[in-house]
Amino acid sequence: MNFAKSIAILLFIIFGFNCRTMVVSTWAHPDSAREFSKVRVLLGQGTEEEIFKTDSTIEVLDANDLIIKKAYEILSINPTSLKAPIRLTANGSYIEYKGAKYRGEIQLKPVDGKVFIINVVPMEQYLFSVVPSEVPASWPKEALKAQAVCARTYVVREMLSRKKQVYDVDTTTNTQVYKGMTKENPNTTHAVEDTAGLILVFNGSPIQSFFHSNSGGVTEDPINVWGNPVQYLASVRSDYDKEGDNYSWEDKLTGTQMNQFLSPLGLGEIQDLIVASRFNSSRVNEIDIIGTKSSKRIKATELRKLLGASKLKSTRFGIRREPDGTFFVKGLGSGHGVGLSQWGSYAMAKESIDYKDILSYYYKGVDFARMSQN
């Protein structure tokens, strides 16, 4: 074991095990009328023709659960003509939509001139797909369990905040990545089953269990990202992140690319980018953009949106303009940096650190609770 890893383990022992969590008996949803065991996942919006497939029979039911149509293996439907919600169920093991197979049922809901296509799936089965979509299924089992608890807590929190909306989550990184049954893996399925119903709570409520790929050595305080402080998401050292293949990175953008990316700012041709201030985590707070028409100081989070996450993987970076007019960027970490670092969790799990200890390191002062289903 090298010196850096020894220091990382020592820091974890000092700062992690001193704040071990406890398992609380149960957490029950405050709205007993809401079925909380199923997740509503937005798959897309309906067009004039949508095709659904299965390995048996698809039944179409109206709002009163009356069967209005049956189809064997393939169903073609025009959602734009719907005036009321319908739902699709299959006698087989899945419903296929746009090449992906989904558990549960499909609902088509017309709202304000649009038709939302929604997969309604039992929560634990939803997680069967989410966990391997977010992290490699080959990772150590304690890291997979940590991700399962994070993902479950995250969707519960989304369900609480979106209870009056048509859906709870979508299939992208805007919420959590969800790719249906084709992404499922026995390793991650076991991780979900081993932690069944387990979520993280703070003062009795499910937490905002934010996670990201790699913190670059230190997680970020959410007040520096979204403007709101969250006690249990305080910044922590994460030296284990050095194990990650995206711990450090660099990239180059041509002058033409930079002009194109930053054209919405209306500054003319970009002459330079200068870091104006940094947070304690060393992530950039504000950056000055110098153009031929004018200059502007913006937040690094805004710059990341303009350049894209593939070019500016995190806001822990440095940038300079080269003599040839290109812009050289070098940084640490990947993602917003708040909450659990997935690569940090991976390396901790490799050192046989329990998933509860991993979670209690990144989320300070939280408890574990078992969900009570309706």
Side-chain angles (χ1 to χ4, degrees):
M1 184 180 298
N2 61 36
F3 179 73
K5 187 174 289 187
S6 300
I7 292 297
I9 293 174
L10 179 60
L11 287 171
F12 177 78
I13 292 172
I14 294 172
F15 297 108
F17 281 102
N18 286 340
C19 55
R20 287 180 65 97
T21 57
M22 58 178 289
V23 175
V24 188
S25 55
T26 57
W27 175 83
H29 183 255
D31 182 4
S32 59
R34 168 80 192 273
E35 183 180 12
F36 221 66
S37 60
K38 293 182 179 180
V39 183
R40 303 169 302 168
V41 188
L42 176 66
L43 302 182
Q45 292 185 17
T47 62
E48 291 185 354
E49 183 183 31
E50 298 292 352
I51 297 175
F52 302 90
K53 301 178 182 179
T54 188
D55 54 357
S56 59
T57 302
I58 297 178
E59 295 181 344
V60 183
L61 296 90
D62 65 11
N64 297 313
D65 285 341
L66 297 176
I67 299 175
I68 57 177
K69 187 174 183 178
K70 283 186 178 182
Y72 183 70
E73 292 188 345
I74 299 177
L75 171 70
S76 177
I77 192 169
N78 178 6
T80 62
S81 64
L82 292 176
K83 303 300 181 184
I86 61 172
R87 61 190 186 94
L88 315 180
T89 63
N91 293 327
S93 57
Y94 66 86
I95 298 179
E96 182 178 332
Y97 175 62
K98 291 187 175 180
K101 296 178 180 179
Y102 297 100
R103 297 177 181 270
E105 66 180 32
I106 302 292
Q107 295 184 356
L108 281 69
K109 290 191 174 184
V111 179
D112 297 331
K114 300 177 181 178
V115 179
F116 295 94
I117 299 177
I118 299 167
N119 179 207
V120 180
V121 59
M123 179 178 291
E124 300 301 308
Q125 294 181 12
Y126 163 75
L127 297 174
F128 288 168
S129 173
V130 168
V131 176
S133 297
E134 287 286 356
V135 295
S138 60
W139 276 15
K141 64 179 181 179
E142 296 303 306
L144 300 181
K145 290 180 185 179
Q147 187 65 44
V149 176
C150 278
R152 186 181 295 108
T153 307
Y154 184 92
V155 72
V156 168
R157 182 79 182 212
E158 290 296 290
M159 293 170 79
L160 284 170
S161 64
R162 298 173 185 242
K163 58 185 178 181
K164 294 183 179 180
Q165 297 183 24
V166 177
Y167 60 91
D168 302 310
V169 291
D170 61 25
T171 62
T172 73
T173 54
N174 289 332
T175 53
Q176 296 188 116
V177 180
Y178 173 67
K179 298 182 178 180
M181 294 175 64
T182 52
K183 191 64 178 179
E184 293 178 13
N185 183 281
N187 292 343
T188 44
T189 295
H190 292 155
V192 172
E193 293 172 340
D194 289 345
T195 62
L198 203 60
I199 63 172
L200 298 166
V201 298
F202 185 80
N203 290 337
S205 297
I207 71 166
Q208 295 175 295
S209 57
F210 293 119
F211 53 85
H212 57 280
S213 180
N214 192 310
S215 76
V218 59
T219 67
E220 185 57 282
D221 191 313
I223 195 171
N224 297 335
V225 181
W226 299 299
N228 299 312
V230 182
Q231 184 176 341
Y232 51 80
L233 291 174
S235 176
V236 298
R237 287 284 301 276
S238 188
D239 293 310
Y240 278 97
D241 286 356
K242 294 176 182 177
E243 293 261 348
D245 55 10
N246 55 1
Y247 174 73
S248 62
W249 52 270
E250 57 185 52
D251 206 341
K252 280 189 175 183
L253 291 89
T254 65
T256 301
Q257 286 177 312
M258 191 65 78
N259 291 335
Q260 181 180 359
F261 286 133
L262 302 187
S263 60
L265 299 177
L267 305 179
E269 292 188 8
I270 304 303
Q271 301 298 294
D272 208 353
L273 285 82
I274 303 171
V275 172
S277 62
R278 293 182 181 272
F279 296 115
N280 291 336
S281 64
S282 83
R283 288 177 175 82
V284 177
N285 174 19
E286 295 178 314
I287 188 163
D288 290 328
I289 315 295
I290 314 299
T292 54
K293 292 183 179 179
S294 61
S295 300
K296 187 175 183 179
R297 178 170 292 187
I298 65 172
K299 291 287 188 180
T301 50
E302 182 181 352
L303 177 66
R304 188 164 184 254
K305 290 178 182 178
L306 291 168
L307 297 184
S310 63
K311 288 294 182 183
L312 196 61
K313 292 182 173 59
S314 79
T315 56
R316 198 176 187 197
F317 71 93
I319 187 168
R320 70 168 181 259
R321 188 184 187 193
E322 305 285 34
D324 63 0
T326 61
F327 292 85
F328 176 73
V329 190
K330 187 173 184 178
L332 296 174
S334 180
H336 51 62
V338 177
L340 176 134
S341 166
Q342 292 170 320
W343 275 102
S345 173
Y346 163 83
M348 293 166 86
K350 281 183 63 179
E351 297 294 333
S352 301
I353 296 174
D354 180 84
Y355 77 96
K356 292 180 182 177
D357 291 320
I358 294 172
L359 292 169
S360 64
Y361 181 75
Y362 286 105
Y363 306 108
K364 296 301 185 184
V366 300
D367 295 319
F368 288 86
R370 196 75 67 176
M371 291 179 61
S372 175
Q373 301 293 357
N374 295 337

